[in-house]
Amino acid sequence: MQVKDKIVIVTGAGSGIGAATAKHFAKHQAKVIVSDIKEEKAQNIADEIKSEGGEATVIMANVAKFEDVEQLVAKTVEKYGQLDVIVNNAGIGPRNMARTGEYTLDDWDSVIAVNQTGVFYCMKVALQQMVKQGGGNIVNIASLAGLKASLNNLSYCASKFAVVGMTKSAALEYATKNIRINAVCPGYTESALLDKLLSVRPDMDQRLKSVIPMKRYGQAEEIAEAVVWLASDTTKFITGQTITLDGGTSL
């Protein structure tokens, strides 16, 4: 992977796909900003990276707050002079799974604020810096739920469809600016969101695996490999794409 010495922000990097992605970038000698809303988790990931000889800095941010996003990018540029890559991974699911007519306003507002508006904020601020410096790379974490229907999960589904659309629109806008923007769409992946679902509905485990041709969940590390690949100089002619990692579920 050609990401050595790149300055990389990973949001939601305290756990799951974000943590795996931060560690994978560091493994390939990128300089990683571990950003999360939970300081202890972010620090643990940064410490793990440092213990293995990598470089990592913790910068806290709630991506649903524009001022936090501005500070995240500003502090990164202040420390390193530039921003090469941002991985917009921070995301949440609804507290309650429900049909659209029974969906709560709180679940709609909170999920859209983080998953959709938060990605917009991060793209907006990062793109301003990347235009100024003459190039950059954005990888957005969407979902299989951003490509197909997801029952009783309206806000999450809507937000991830939006991420796919924003990825394609922005990629078209900035293709001549040496800025590439792509998304990955994980299927059912071992993560806090999946754990939450299975804790409420243990019976869903076998049901979910039954619709995955590979008969297993994805691993966070597998998603991280795709993210780092898209952010690397190996993929200079790829932009505006959604890479689906779902064990064949979409088939």
Side-chain angles (χ1 to χ4, degrees):
M1 301 281 192
Q2 298 178 34
V3 296
K4 183 178 180 182
D5 293 328
K6 289 187 182 294
I7 312 306
V8 181
I9 291 173
V10 182
T11 67
S15 61
I17 291 171
T21 298
K23 289 188 283 187
H24 206 61
F25 270 111
K27 177 183 175 182
H28 290 279
Q29 299 180 285
K31 298 173 183 178
V32 184
I33 289 79
V34 181
S35 184
D36 201 278
I37 198 170
K38 297 180 179 178
E39 185 172 7
E40 184 178 354
K41 287 189 173 183
Q43 191 62 58
N44 288 341
I45 298 303
D47 290 345
E48 186 176 342
I49 288 171
K50 292 175 184 176
S51 72
E52 296 178 359
E55 183 169 346
T57 301
V58 173
I59 301 178
M60 304 299 295
N62 177 351
V63 299
K65 296 181 178 180
F66 187 68
E67 296 79 8
D68 279 20
V69 175
E70 286 185 307
Q71 285 298 307
L72 171 61
V73 173
K75 288 178 180 179
T76 298
V77 175
E78 181 182 353
K79 180 176 178 66
Y80 290 108
Q82 64 190 64
L83 170 61
D84 298 308
V85 179
I86 186 167
V87 180
N88 293 317
N89 166 76
I92 62 173
R95 295 182 181 86
N96 305 288
M97 307 288 284
R99 292 185 178 182
T100 301
E102 287 75 49
Y103 217 80
T104 70
L105 299 183
D106 284 345
D107 275 333
W108 175 265
D109 291 341
S110 60
V111 172
I112 295 299
V114 175
N115 295 9
Q116 181 173 337
T117 304
V119 171
F120 163 63
Y121 287 167
C122 288
M123 290 176 67
K124 175 180 172 63
V125 179
L127 282 165
Q128 291 173 350
Q129 172 61 30
M130 290 173 178
V131 168
K132 188 186 304 182
Q133 68 192 28
N137 195 305
I138 296 174
V139 182
N140 294 324
I141 308 301
S143 172
L144 182 59
L147 301 173
K148 61 187 292 293
S150 181
L151 291 173
N152 304 323
N153 201 15
L154 189 72
S155 60
Y156 189 81
C157 193
S159 68
K160 295 302 185 179
F161 265 86
V163 169
V164 170
M166 290 190 292
T167 297
K168 292 180 178 293
S169 294
L172 184 60
E173 293 169 353
Y174 290 89
T176 62
K177 301 295 185 182
N178 193 33
I179 299 171
R180 298 191 297 111
I181 306 168
N182 294 288
V184 297
C185 294
Y188 299 110
T189 305
E190 292 188 357
S191 65
L193 285 177
L194 182 62
D195 290 344
K196 181 180 177 181
L197 171 62
L198 296 181
S199 69
V200 176
R201 292 283 304 279
D203 59 301
M204 289 294 290
D205 183 53
Q206 289 306 313
R207 289 181 61 186
L208 292 178
K209 288 178 179 175
S210 72
V211 301
I212 305 172
M214 288 187 177
K215 303 304 178 189
R216 68 172 178 87
Y217 302 128
Q219 301 293 314
E221 291 75 16
E222 294 171 323
I223 313 304
E225 287 180 355
V227 173
V228 176
W229 178 72
L230 282 171
S232 75
D233 291 338
T234 308
T235 54
K236 286 183 177 179
F237 203 52
I238 299 177
T239 195
Q241 301 304 304
T242 54
I243 308 297
T244 306
L245 300 101
D246 66 354
T249 305
S250 53
L251 301 176

